[in-house]
């Protein structure tokens, strides 16, 4: 998913060039492939910044959808502005903004 086939072929070609008795320690390396039955075509995780964007949007979307889907059922005025779904939508906008700010900063806190 994240690695095009040309990059995968290039990595495999490099692995064939590295001798087995090399000084490269592959057991303690933080860079390793993912072997999952659920995600067979995901070879590695995306960068943290990309994950933060996905997490932020995924957390906010259900609450926003629910609020905007049900807003027409609420009477105008006070009940519409003080309903729990509106408060959760706005709260999750803040949570999403935290994740997006981290992602757009390049991953620095």
């Amino acid at each position: 998913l994240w690695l095009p086939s040309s990059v995968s072929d290039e990595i495999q070609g490099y692995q064939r060039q590295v001798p087995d008795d090399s000084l490269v320690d592959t057991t303690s390396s933080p860079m390793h492939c993912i072997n999952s039955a659920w995600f067979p075509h995901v070879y590695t995780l995306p960068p943290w910044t990309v994950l933060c964007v996905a997490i932020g949007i995924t957390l906010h979307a259900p609450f926003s959808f629910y609020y905007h889907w049900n807003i027409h059922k609420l009477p105008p005025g006070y009940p519409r502005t003080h309903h729990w779904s509106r408060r959760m939508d706005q709260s999750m906008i803040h949570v999403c903004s935290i994740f997006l700010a981290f992602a757009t900063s390049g991953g620095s806190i």
Side-chain angles (χ1 to χ4, degrees):
L1 182 68
W2 288 96
L3 296 174
S5 61
S6 61
V7 174
S8 179
D9 294 340
E10 184 178 334
I11 291 171
Q12 289 175 356
Y14 174 74
Q15 288 174 342
R16 283 191 290 268
Q17 294 174 359
V18 176
D20 290 336
D21 59 346
S22 67
L23 299 176
V24 178
D25 181 14
T26 58
T27 58
S28 64
S29 174
M31 302 295 288
H32 60 279
C33 292
I34 297 172
N35 188 7
S36 172
W38 286 9
F39 304 108
H41 298 293
V42 177
Y43 303 108
T44 184
L45 286 177
W48 282 108
T49 53
V50 175
L51 285 176
C52 284
V53 170
I55 290 169
I57 291 171
T58 303
L59 289 175
H60 172 248
F63 296 101
S64 181
F65 180 82
Y66 182 78
Y67 171 64
H68 289 96
W69 183 264
N70 289 320
I71 195 169
H72 71 279
K73 296 179 186 176
L74 300 172
Y78 185 84
R80 189 177 284 184
T81 58
H82 286 78
H83 194 260
W84 71 267
S85 63
R86 180 184 150 282
R87 286 186 245 154
M88 266 318 273
D89 181 34
Q90 290 183 338
S91 297
M92 294 313 285
I93 288 172
H94 285 86
V95 171
C96 181
S97 297
I98 292 168
F99 281 101
L100 292 178
F102 176 76
T104 56
S105 71
S108 61
I109 297 177

